[in-house]
Amino acid sequence: MTDKYIYQEPNIQLTNKGVSHWQSPSNIALVKYWGKYNNQIPANASLSFTLNNCHTQTKLSYEPAAIPSFEVWVNAKRELSFEPKIKTFIERILVYCPYLSNLRLKIETYNSFPHSSGIASSASGLSALALCIMDIEQALNPQLSEAFFKEKASFLARLGSGSAARSIFPYLASWGATDVFENSSDLYATEFKQFHTIFRDYQDTVLLVDRGQKVVSSTVGHQLMNDHPFAKQRFEQADYNLSILKDALIKGDLKTFNEIVESEALTLHAMMMTSAPYFLLMKPNTLAIIEEVWAFRKENNLNLTITLDAGANVHLLYPKSEVNDVLPFIKDKLSRYCEKGLYICDQVGTGSQRINQ
Ligand code: PMV
């Protein structure tokens, strides 16, 4: 099934050095992926908004070498602590990208969002790196179609971090085999194009509640779904929610959108609270924000909605037309719940892009 991703062209050894440079954004899941099988196969399909301002820029310099090696630089500093994760990633994708075993690589990355803000840089970082690696493949095989380039980039990104598979595509991307989306796959993400125009510039303001290290990593959280008492129901519910959400996205039905998105966020955390061992990633300020948002929304008849990632930060989703109501509310009422008063204004974006040298 995965053979088509194994690079098999006769031209396998690069003779020239080169540089590739990509920018790739983070994403926020609307229907959450939580639980996986071997080889990064998701237990349920998921759907996310691709963000714009929270992104990683990665420059990959490569040159032929008898002994392969790599270095990782983050914000212009050599970052040895990132190298084990990248090593695992490269080892995992080597079977699909054998040309990497004849190269010396220098990976230089810059994140637009503050380091340890609690916003995972793995989705943006690994998708940017996967795209750079596909540039090497294209240098070897210029016949590569654009569609295959993106599909394989998403396939490779998935092997680094599941949610990274979705960051390649603009606006809305789904990942995981489901009857809800045509051409969906467990191996890579695909773009969902049929959505209502209101979502093209939907706002996401990320309230940075807790910037510390998470008590339980996503890797462990996914594993805990293996023997979770509610796993089966959860995976079925995710598929059902996807079908309802798809319809709401097509129609621009914000009431249904809000209900599904909030239910998904709370269900994600409910899974954490009911696994064995159980754990909590929300903080008191996470709950305080949610309650303030619900009261403000009701009072002002707005569409402001919350979602959560695997952490304490709160993502506020709302249509652009509500910016003038929501931003003063965040500044006056919600920023006090954020560490150092910090929040990041982002919105749905156009996905990854090549940076011209
Ligand atoms: O991609 P991972 O392994 O870090 O898992 C991400 C899981 C969530 O962010 C909680 C949900 C999602 O679908 O992005």
mmCIF file of all heavy atoms in Angstrom, residues 27-29 31-34 36 40 46-48 120 122 161-164 166 175 218-219 222 268 272 308-310, ligand 1:
data_model
loop_
_atom_site.group_PDB
_atom_site.id
_atom_site.type_symbol
_atom_site.label_atom_id
_atom_site.label_comp_id
_atom_site.label_asym_id
_atom_site.label_seq_id
_atom_site.Cartn_x
_atom_site.Cartn_y
_atom_site.Cartn_z
ATOM 1 N N ASN A 27 -1.630 24.028 12.685
ATOM 2 C CA ASN A 27 -3.068 23.873 12.408
ATOM 3 C C ASN A 27 -3.795 23.596 13.712
ATOM 4 O O ASN A 27 -3.169 23.205 14.698
ATOM 5 C CB ASN A 27 -3.308 22.774 11.363
ATOM 6 C CG ASN A 27 -2.965 21.371 11.862
ATOM 7 O OD1 ASN A 27 -3.661 20.788 12.696
ATOM 8 N ND2 ASN A 27 -1.856 20.821 11.369
ATOM 9 N N ILE A 28 -5.100 23.848 13.709
ATOM 10 C CA ILE A 28 -5.888 23.533 14.910
ATOM 11 C C ILE A 28 -7.022 22.593 14.496
ATOM 12 O O ILE A 28 -7.793 22.910 13.580
ATOM 13 C CB ILE A 28 -6.423 24.807 15.624
ATOM 14 C CG1 ILE A 28 -7.253 24.428 16.854
ATOM 15 C CG2 ILE A 28 -7.220 25.720 14.708
ATOM 16 C CD1 ILE A 28 -6.470 23.818 18.001
ATOM 17 N N ALA A 29 -7.076 21.441 15.155
ATOM 18 C CA ALA A 29 -8.081 20.444 14.781
ATOM 19 C C ALA A 29 -9.464 20.870 15.269
ATOM 20 O O ALA A 29 -9.610 21.387 16.378
ATOM 21 C CB ALA A 29 -7.712 19.091 15.383
ATOM 22 N N VAL A 31 -12.196 18.518 14.489
ATOM 23 C CA VAL A 31 -12.477 17.150 14.968
ATOM 24 C C VAL A 31 -11.103 16.553 15.272
ATOM 25 O O VAL A 31 -10.214 16.552 14.423
ATOM 26 C CB VAL A 31 -13.243 16.322 13.913
ATOM 27 C CG1 VAL A 31 -13.309 14.844 14.320
ATOM 28 C CG2 VAL A 31 -14.657 16.875 13.750
ATOM 29 N N LYS A 32 -10.939 16.093 16.493
ATOM 30 C CA LYS A 32 -9.606 15.769 17.002
ATOM 31 C C LYS A 32 -9.155 14.346 16.681
ATOM 32 O O LYS A 32 -9.962 13.411 16.734
ATOM 33 C CB LYS A 32 -9.581 15.919 18.530
ATOM 34 C CG LYS A 32 -10.159 17.216 19.061
ATOM 35 C CD LYS A 32 -9.285 18.415 18.743
ATOM 36 C CE LYS A 32 -9.886 19.694 19.318
ATOM 37 N NZ LYS A 32 -9.096 20.886 18.994
ATOM 38 N N TYR A 33 -7.868 14.254 16.419
ATOM 39 C CA TYR A 33 -7.192 12.947 16.296
ATOM 40 C C TYR A 33 -6.617 12.637 17.672
ATOM 41 O O TYR A 33 -5.815 13.400 18.199
ATOM 42 C CB TYR A 33 -6.118 13.098 15.211
ATOM 43 C CG TYR A 33 -4.816 12.367 15.391
ATOM 44 C CD1 TYR A 33 -4.756 10.969 15.443
ATOM 45 C CD2 TYR A 33 -3.611 13.077 15.461
ATOM 46 C CE1 TYR A 33 -3.533 10.322 15.586
ATOM 47 C CE2 TYR A 33 -2.392 12.431 15.595
ATOM 48 C CZ TYR A 33 -2.357 11.050 15.661
ATOM 49 O OH TYR A 33 -1.159 10.411 15.795
ATOM 50 N N TRP A 34 -7.065 11.546 18.269
ATOM 51 C CA TRP A 34 -6.545 11.168 19.586
ATOM 52 C C TRP A 34 -6.619 9.657 19.676
ATOM 53 O O TRP A 34 -7.691 9.099 19.866
ATOM 54 C CB TRP A 34 -7.374 11.838 20.702
ATOM 55 C CG TRP A 34 -6.687 11.865 22.032
ATOM 56 C CD1 TRP A 34 -7.122 11.271 23.190
ATOM 57 C CD2 TRP A 34 -5.448 12.519 22.365
ATOM 58 N NE1 TRP A 34 -6.235 11.525 24.206
ATOM 59 C CE2 TRP A 34 -5.201 12.290 23.736
ATOM 60 C CE3 TRP A 34 -4.522 13.280 21.633
ATOM 61 C CZ2 TRP A 34 -4.060 12.782 24.380
ATOM 62 C CZ3 TRP A 34 -3.409 13.772 22.276
ATOM 63 C CH2 TRP A 34 -3.187 13.514 23.635
ATOM 64 N N LYS A 36 -3.905 6.226 18.098
ATOM 65 C CA LYS A 36 -3.312 5.804 16.823
ATOM 66 C C LYS A 36 -2.834 4.363 16.916
ATOM 67 O O LYS A 36 -2.653 3.825 18.006
ATOM 68 C CB LYS A 36 -2.159 6.730 16.441
ATOM 69 C CG LYS A 36 -0.978 6.709 17.398
ATOM 70 C CD LYS A 36 0.130 7.627 16.883
ATOM 71 C CE LYS A 36 1.198 7.832 17.929
ATOM 72 N NZ LYS A 36 2.226 8.757 17.519
ATOM 73 N N GLN A 40 1.898 5.293 12.764
ATOM 74 C CA GLN A 40 1.196 6.572 12.694
ATOM 75 C C GLN A 40 -0.101 6.484 11.890
ATOM 76 O O GLN A 40 -0.407 7.380 11.093
ATOM 77 C CB GLN A 40 2.105 7.633 12.061
ATOM 78 C CG GLN A 40 3.402 7.875 12.789
ATOM 79 C CD GLN A 40 3.211 8.850 13.936
ATOM 80 O OE1 GLN A 40 2.980 8.447 15.069
ATOM 81 N NE2 GLN A 40 3.289 10.117 13.650
ATOM 82 N N SER A 46 -9.701 13.032 11.194
ATOM 83 C CA SER A 46 -9.750 14.355 11.837
ATOM 84 C C SER A 46 -9.827 15.433 10.757
ATOM 85 O O SER A 46 -9.597 15.171 9.576
ATOM 86 C CB SER A 46 -8.495 14.561 12.691
ATOM 87 O OG SER A 46 -7.333 14.397 11.899
ATOM 88 N N LEU A 47 -10.140 16.647 11.196
ATOM 89 C CA LEU A 47 -10.256 17.774 10.271
ATOM 90 C C LEU A 47 -9.736 19.015 10.971
ATOM 91 O O LEU A 47 -10.037 19.217 12.149
ATOM 92 C CB LEU A 47 -11.726 17.977 9.905
ATOM 93 C CG LEU A 47 -12.055 19.138 8.967
ATOM 94 C CD1 LEU A 47 -11.687 18.773 7.526
ATOM 95 C CD2 LEU A 47 -13.547 19.470 9.015
ATOM 96 N N SER A 48 -8.950 19.839 10.262
ATOM 97 C CA SER A 48 -8.390 21.016 10.943
ATOM 98 C C SER A 48 -8.436 22.258 10.069
ATOM 99 O O SER A 48 -8.488 22.182 8.840
ATOM 100 C CB SER A 48 -6.948 20.748 11.364
ATOM 101 O OG SER A 48 -6.170 20.397 10.245
ATOM 102 N N ALA A 120 2.320 23.669 19.807
ATOM 103 C CA ALA A 120 3.257 22.659 19.321
ATOM 104 C C ALA A 120 3.880 23.128 18.020
ATOM 105 O O ALA A 120 3.178 23.574 17.113
ATOM 106 C CB ALA A 120 2.528 21.350 19.118
ATOM 107 N N SER A 122 5.593 20.988 16.305
ATOM 108 C CA SER A 122 5.867 19.780 15.521
ATOM 109 C C SER A 122 5.073 19.769 14.208
ATOM 110 O O SER A 122 5.612 19.351 13.182
ATOM 111 C CB SER A 122 5.592 18.517 16.335
ATOM 112 O OG SER A 122 4.310 18.554 16.866
ATOM 113 N N SER A 161 4.942 13.523 12.799
ATOM 114 C CA SER A 161 3.914 13.887 13.769
ATOM 115 C C SER A 161 2.586 13.835 13.024
ATOM 116 O O SER A 161 2.434 14.505 11.991
ATOM 117 C CB SER A 161 4.186 15.310 14.264
ATOM 118 O OG SER A 161 3.037 15.872 14.829
ATOM 119 N N GLY A 162 1.662 13.038 13.518
ATOM 120 C CA GLY A 162 0.413 12.803 12.791
ATOM 121 C C GLY A 162 -0.244 14.076 12.290
ATOM 122 O O GLY A 162 -0.541 14.225 11.100
ATOM 123 N N SER A 163 -0.435 15.029 13.197
ATOM 124 C CA SER A 163 -1.178 16.230 12.810
ATOM 125 C C SER A 163 -0.414 17.068 11.773
ATOM 126 O O SER A 163 -1.024 17.891 11.086
ATOM 127 C CB SER A 163 -1.514 17.068 14.038
ATOM 128 O OG SER A 163 -0.344 17.382 14.753
ATOM 129 N N ALA A 164 0.889 16.852 11.647
ATOM 130 C CA ALA A 164 1.685 17.598 10.658
ATOM 131 C C ALA A 164 1.219 17.296 9.233
ATOM 132 O O ALA A 164 1.374 18.134 8.331
ATOM 133 C CB ALA A 164 3.167 17.260 10.814
ATOM 134 N N ARG A 166 -1.588 17.388 8.062
ATOM 135 C CA ARG A 166 -2.652 18.310 7.625
ATOM 136 C C ARG A 166 -2.128 19.704 7.298
ATOM 137 O O ARG A 166 -2.810 20.480 6.620
ATOM 138 C CB ARG A 166 -3.740 18.418 8.715
ATOM 139 C CG ARG A 166 -4.426 17.077 9.067
ATOM 140 C CD ARG A 166 -5.557 17.313 10.075
ATOM 141 N NE ARG A 166 -5.049 18.013 11.234
ATOM 142 C CZ ARG A 166 -5.103 17.585 12.503
ATOM 143 N NH1 ARG A 166 -5.680 16.432 12.772
ATOM 144 N NH2 ARG A 166 -4.612 18.307 13.479
ATOM 145 N N TRP A 175 -7.598 14.248 7.548
ATOM 146 C CA TRP A 175 -6.626 13.145 7.511
ATOM 147 C C TRP A 175 -7.273 11.943 8.190
ATOM 148 O O TRP A 175 -7.841 12.085 9.283
ATOM 149 C CB TRP A 175 -5.335 13.546 8.241
ATOM 150 C CG TRP A 175 -4.428 12.401 8.564
ATOM 151 C CD1 TRP A 175 -4.009 11.424 7.709
ATOM 152 C CD2 TRP A 175 -3.851 12.088 9.840
ATOM 153 N NE1 TRP A 175 -3.202 10.532 8.365
ATOM 154 C CE2 TRP A 175 -3.081 10.919 9.668
ATOM 155 C CE3 TRP A 175 -3.905 12.691 11.094
ATOM 156 C CZ2 TRP A 175 -2.377 10.325 10.722
ATOM 157 C CZ3 TRP A 175 -3.205 12.111 12.140
ATOM 158 C CH2 TRP A 175 -2.446 10.941 11.954
ATOM 159 N N SER A 218 1.768 14.148 24.078
ATOM 160 C CA SER A 218 0.751 13.625 23.144
ATOM 161 C C SER A 218 1.018 12.157 22.826
ATOM 162 O O SER A 218 0.080 11.363 22.689
ATOM 163 C CB SER A 218 0.769 14.407 21.838
ATOM 164 O OG SER A 218 0.278 15.689 22.037
ATOM 165 N N THR A 219 2.307 11.795 22.723
ATOM 166 C CA THR A 219 2.652 10.403 22.394
ATOM 167 C C THR A 219 2.038 9.462 23.426
ATOM 168 O O THR A 219 1.401 8.457 23.078
ATOM 169 C CB THR A 219 4.189 10.235 22.383
ATOM 170 O OG1 THR A 219 4.729 11.285 21.603
ATOM 171 C CG2 THR A 219 4.621 8.900 21.849
ATOM 172 N N HIS A 222 -1.876 9.459 23.183
ATOM 173 C CA HIS A 222 -2.373 8.598 22.097
ATOM 174 C C HIS A 222 -2.362 7.136 22.552
ATOM 175 O O HIS A 222 -3.320 6.395 22.329
ATOM 176 C CB HIS A 222 -1.493 8.724 20.854
ATOM 177 C CG HIS A 222 -1.695 9.995 20.080
ATOM 178 N ND1 HIS A 222 -2.875 10.301 19.456
ATOM 179 C CD2 HIS A 222 -0.866 11.039 19.838
ATOM 180 C CE1 HIS A 222 -2.756 11.477 18.850
ATOM 181 N NE2 HIS A 222 -1.548 11.947 19.074
ATOM 182 N N LEU A 268 -12.068 15.601 23.841
ATOM 183 C CA LEU A 268 -10.623 15.305 23.859
ATOM 184 C C LEU A 268 -10.124 15.277 25.307
ATOM 185 O O LEU A 268 -9.443 14.342 25.733
ATOM 186 C CB LEU A 268 -9.874 16.360 23.033
ATOM 187 C CG LEU A 268 -8.349 16.363 23.126
ATOM 188 C CD1 LEU A 268 -7.765 15.113 22.461
ATOM 189 C CD2 LEU A 268 -7.751 17.615 22.473
ATOM 190 N N MET A 272 -8.826 12.262 28.242
ATOM 191 C CA MET A 272 -7.633 12.319 29.110
ATOM 192 C C MET A 272 -8.039 12.055 30.563
ATOM 193 O O MET A 272 -7.342 11.361 31.298
ATOM 194 C CB MET A 272 -6.975 13.698 29.012
ATOM 195 C CG MET A 272 -6.491 14.024 27.619
ATOM 196 S SD MET A 272 -5.970 15.753 27.530
ATOM 197 C CE MET A 272 -5.729 15.918 25.769
ATOM 198 N N LEU A 308 -9.703 23.450 22.092
ATOM 199 C CA LEU A 308 -8.497 23.187 22.877
ATOM 200 C C LEU A 308 -7.636 22.205 22.117
ATOM 201 O O LEU A 308 -8.146 21.352 21.391
ATOM 202 C CB LEU A 308 -8.869 22.546 24.221
ATOM 203 C CG LEU A 308 -9.873 23.300 25.097
ATOM 204 C CD1 LEU A 308 -10.410 22.391 26.197
ATOM 205 C CD2 LEU A 308 -9.216 24.533 25.706
ATOM 206 N N ASP A 309 -6.346 22.326 22.323
ATOM 207 C CA ASP A 309 -5.413 21.337 21.807
ATOM 208 C C ASP A 309 -5.067 20.432 22.986
ATOM 209 O O ASP A 309 -5.704 20.529 24.025
ATOM 210 C CB ASP A 309 -4.176 22.088 21.293
ATOM 211 C CG ASP A 309 -3.709 21.504 19.998
ATOM 212 O OD1 ASP A 309 -3.901 20.302 19.817
ATOM 213 O OD2 ASP A 309 -3.132 22.248 19.192
ATOM 214 N N ALA A 310 -4.026 19.620 22.866
ATOM 215 C CA ALA A 310 -3.628 18.816 24.024
ATOM 216 C C ALA A 310 -2.790 19.699 24.942
ATOM 217 O O ALA A 310 -1.569 19.587 24.997
ATOM 218 C CB ALA A 310 -2.851 17.599 23.562
HETATM 219 O O1 PMV B 1 0.244 15.102 15.990
HETATM 220 P P1 PMV B 1 0.328 14.734 17.434
HETATM 221 O O2 PMV B 1 0.817 13.340 17.657
HETATM 222 O O3 PMV B 1 1.065 15.752 18.245
HETATM 223 O O4 PMV B 1 -1.174 14.707 18.019
HETATM 224 C C1 PMV B 1 -1.997 15.831 17.975
HETATM 225 C C2 PMV B 1 -3.235 15.598 18.706
HETATM 226 C C3 PMV B 1 -4.133 16.824 18.886
HETATM 227 O O5 PMV B 1 -3.429 18.007 18.643
HETATM 228 C C4 PMV B 1 -4.625 16.829 20.311
HETATM 229 C C5 PMV B 1 -5.357 16.771 17.997
HETATM 230 C C6 PMV B 1 -5.144 16.994 16.536
HETATM 231 O O6 PMV B 1 -5.860 16.366 15.749
HETATM 232 O O7 PMV B 1 -4.313 17.841 16.155
#
